[in-house]
Amino acid sequence: MSVRPAIRRPEQPLLYDAFGKPMALHGAWAGTRNNRNLQRKWDRGIPGSADEDLLDDLPTLRGRARQSGRDNPLGAGAVNINTKHVVGTGLSLRPEVDREVLAWDETKATTWQDTTGRLFDMWCRSTACDATLTQNFWEMQDLAYRSAADSGDVLAVFGYRKVPFSPWGTCVRLVEADRISNKDLILDTPTLCGGVQLDSFGAAVGYWVQDQHPGSRLSFGRKGTWTYYPAYGKNGFKRCQHLFIRMRPDQHRGFPYLSTVLEALKDLGEYTDGELRAAVVSGLYTVAVTSPAALDENGTPIPPAEGTDELDLGYGASLVLEPGEKLEQVTPGRPNQAFDPFVLAVLRQIGAALEIPFEILVQHFTASYSAARAALLELAKFVRRRRAWLAANFCQPIYEAWLEEAVSTGHVQAPGFFDDPLLRMAYCGAQWDGDSLGVLDPVKEVNAYKIAVGETFATKEQATAELFGGDYRRNVERRGREIQAEKDSGITPPPVPGAGAIQSAQPAADPAMGQPPAKPKKEAP
């Protein structure tokens, strides 16, 4: 049996892709085929490097993302919800040194941690931490995170500015992403990409920052000037921190948080505006005025004279009609009954892309307790990951820069801090605690944490941070002062529910062992 070779028809020539590979020889992946009309509409099917796929579109992405955050209620809400849950009132420092490396006992480590944490808290509360003397450290966290979400990235430059109302000079200046660009706007090179100076390993060693924002009126008609900020100082300590989320290897700039849903937000906003305008017109009881056309002696319609007054509709408006004119009601069919289900379906897709549960994105809980708790748990996964990123890439480097000055000025005692990198890492250990994500049923969740602490699945410090966002050690100190004040005032604290039953419980004797059950003791009157 012979097999006749296939004959290629002249009207179907062999097509080649950008790499010279015949499209008919593609593999089994359906997403790579171009034999359908819809699949030929891929805007960009050729793989490029991380910077190649991003940097050319980055200015447009920034502008449209910022506009969506200004004009689109859903876009503004997504950024605000993201920032509110991740940053909240700010991440607070909890120093945790490595006692084994430092060869310290628990008492010495606790004393050092309390002292250092108290001094850093004083620096955080003061606006001296901001180079512009405008915000405290927690407000700067909000601004940095929001800037990274709106623009894709932000640069934190560590500086020194001595002011009379602060014992420290360490300060931070936030630089907007638009100002980070190649000097003189030259093309990218293997060691310079998007304003980021690279070494032979691809690590960032410095940043070129335009002295004026490219969209500022001060830069119009003037040649731009740039300043170079090294990422590390001569002593090897960090001097700049570039805050962005890296999604691909060799990616040197970040993209806005709303980049993936910009088109959906724009279309949904226009659809919502159209429905809203149609509903407004419907609410005005829309009518159309029809009148017989005026004819001349030859039967030709006479056009209306210029300046003819138009009839405007309004609430309770009355119209005066000419002879022969009549009103006909227009029924626009609004409100649209399918509007809400359609919008909710689109919002679910937007929420999935933004990693925000639908119920939290629209701030509307109509399901059961279990469904609402599941939504909060999904949000908690996102928030914990973003908080860890913010703490490691913004809060921790700034704390280490402050600690460098505090040790050098003698406010904090840390022998070997500048001599041994291992000791320095041991001193800089820290945890960053944020606000509580909230509880739906406080009684159930507090009891669950009691069981977890009792079984050593969690600590009271962890339970305090996750339930109420507080500091367990400070709570113990304050509660101790409150109890002592109540004793001094003669106030008897109320009994703890269930404590008496637990203390008076007696182990039951086993009759199989020949022991009669113990009789309960009578309480004294």
Side-chain angles (χ1 to χ4, degrees), residues 94 373 377 380 384 387 433-439 445-446 449 452 457-472:
R94 181 157 47 91
R373 178 164 175 77
L377 291 177
R384 289 192 181 97
R387 281 182 179 176
D433 299 324
D435 294 341
S436 169
L437 296 179
V439 292
E445 301 193 27
V446 168
Y449 271 98
F457 298 149
T459 64
K460 289 187 177 181
E461 198 166 25
Q462 179 183 358
T464 303
E466 295 183 3
L467 278 173
F468 304 105
D471 189 328
Y472 171 75

Side-chain angles (χ1 to χ4, degrees), residues 108-151:
K108 185 175 182 179
T110 301
T111 303
W112 190 94
Q113 291 169 171
D114 292 343
T115 302
T116 304
R118 189 175 297 106
L119 293 176
F120 184 73
D121 186 74
M122 295 170 60
W123 179 81
C124 293
R125 292 198 304 266
S126 172
T127 57
C129 65
D130 183 5
T132 63
L133 304 180
T134 306
Q135 297 178 301
N136 60 33
F137 181 57
W138 298 293
E139 293 170 339
M140 291 186 68
Q141 292 179 27
D142 184 283
L143 179 61
Y145 188 83
R146 187 180 297 273
S147 298
D150 286 338
S151 305

Side-chain angles (χ1 to χ4, degrees), residues 15 20 24 39 100 111 117 160 167 190 193 289 385 433 496:
L15 301 179
Q39 289 178 326
E100 286 73 15
T111 303
Y160 187 86
C193 190
V289 180
R385 182 160 54 87
D433 299 324
V496 179

Side-chain angles (χ1 to χ4, degrees), residues 211-484:
D211 294 338
Q212 296 292 339
H213 192 285
S216 172
R217 289 178 293 179
L218 299 177
S219 62
F220 290 167
R222 300 180 182 179
K223 184 179 179 180
T225 56
W226 280 258
T227 301
Y228 179 73
Y229 293 94
Y232 299 91
K234 296 180 179 180
N235 54 6
F237 295 161
K238 185 163 286 189
R239 290 294 173 260
C240 288
Q241 182 62 37
H242 192 198
L243 187 65
F244 74 100
I245 295 179
R246 196 175 193 183
M247 302 295 291
R248 294 179 57 184
D250 300 327
Q251 177 186 342
H252 301 103
R253 302 297 301 271
F255 54 87
Y257 175 61
L258 299 177
S259 298
T260 309
V261 297
L262 283 177
E263 188 175 5
L265 288 176
K266 181 65 174 177
D267 294 342
L268 186 60
E270 292 181 355
Y271 172 66
T272 304
D273 290 342
E275 289 290 337
L276 180 60
R277 293 179 185 276
V280 171
V281 173
S282 177
L284 293 177
Y285 190 72
T286 306
V287 294
V289 180
T290 61
S291 60
L295 305 177
D296 57 12
E297 61 274 6
N298 299 325
T300 304
I302 300 175
E306 296 183 2
T308 302
D309 294 336
E310 296 182 353
L311 297 178
D312 295 331
L313 298 178
Y315 302 102
S318 60
L319 304 177
V320 179
L321 305 180
E322 298 294 336
E325 295 181 340
K326 62 180 181 178
L327 295 179
E328 294 183 0
Q329 183 177 358
V330 178
T331 305
R334 295 298 186 276
N336 184 2
Q337 299 300 324
F339 173 77
D340 194 58
F342 174 75
V343 170
L344 295 182
V346 177
L347 290 180
R348 288 186 175 91
Q349 299 182 29
I350 293 176
L354 299 179
E355 299 185 76
I356 298 179
F358 163 76
E359 295 86 352
I360 297 175
L361 180 62
V362 298
Q363 298 289 285
H364 187 57
F365 295 89
T366 57
S368 62
Y369 168 83
S370 300
R373 178 164 175 77
L376 286 178
L377 291 177
E378 286 299 317
L379 177 68
K381 298 176 184 178
F382 170 79
V383 170
R384 289 192 181 97
R385 182 160 54 87
R386 286 299 180 93
R387 281 182 179 176
W389 170 77
L390 180 65
N393 294 276
F394 184 77
C395 300
Q396 184 67 24
I398 293 176
Y399 167 61
E400 293 178 6
W402 171 88
L403 187 58
E404 175 190 348
E405 181 192 4
V407 173
S408 63
T409 56
H411 289 93
V412 175
Q413 301 299 321
F417 184 87
F418 295 100
D419 302 328
D420 190 343
L422 182 61
L423 292 180
R424 183 175 185 272
M425 294 177 64
Y427 284 118
C428 293
Q431 293 289 331
W432 296 87
D433 299 324
D435 294 341
S436 169
L437 296 179
V439 292
L440 294 179
D441 192 330
V443 176
K444 290 182 179 180
E445 301 193 27
V446 168
N447 287 332
Y449 271 98
K450 284 184 178 179
I451 297 175
V453 172
E455 297 293 338
T456 65
F457 298 149
T459 64
K460 289 187 177 181
E461 198 166 25
Q462 179 183 358
T464 303
E466 295 183 3
L467 278 173
F468 304 105
D471 189 328
Y472 171 75
R473 295 181 180 275
R474 292 188 179 181
N475 289 351
V476 170
E477 295 177 0
R478 294 169 182 171
R479 184 58 183 150
R481 291 195 297 267
E482 291 175 353
I483 294 176
Q484 185 61 42

Side-chain angles (χ1 to χ4, degrees), residues 174-224:
L174 297 179
V175 179
E176 199 165 28
D178 307 63
R179 296 174 56 187
I180 307 173
S181 59
N182 294 345
K183 183 180 180 181
D184 298 327
L185 301 179
I186 62 175
L187 297 178
D188 292 339
T189 66
T191 59
L192 180 62
C193 190
V196 182
Q197 194 73 45
L198 309 173
D199 62 9
S200 58
F201 290 92
V205 295
Y207 304 89
W208 290 97
V209 177
Q210 197 167 350
D211 294 338
Q212 296 292 339
H213 192 285
S216 172
R217 289 178 293 179
L218 299 177
S219 62
F220 290 167
R222 300 180 182 179
K223 184 179 179 180

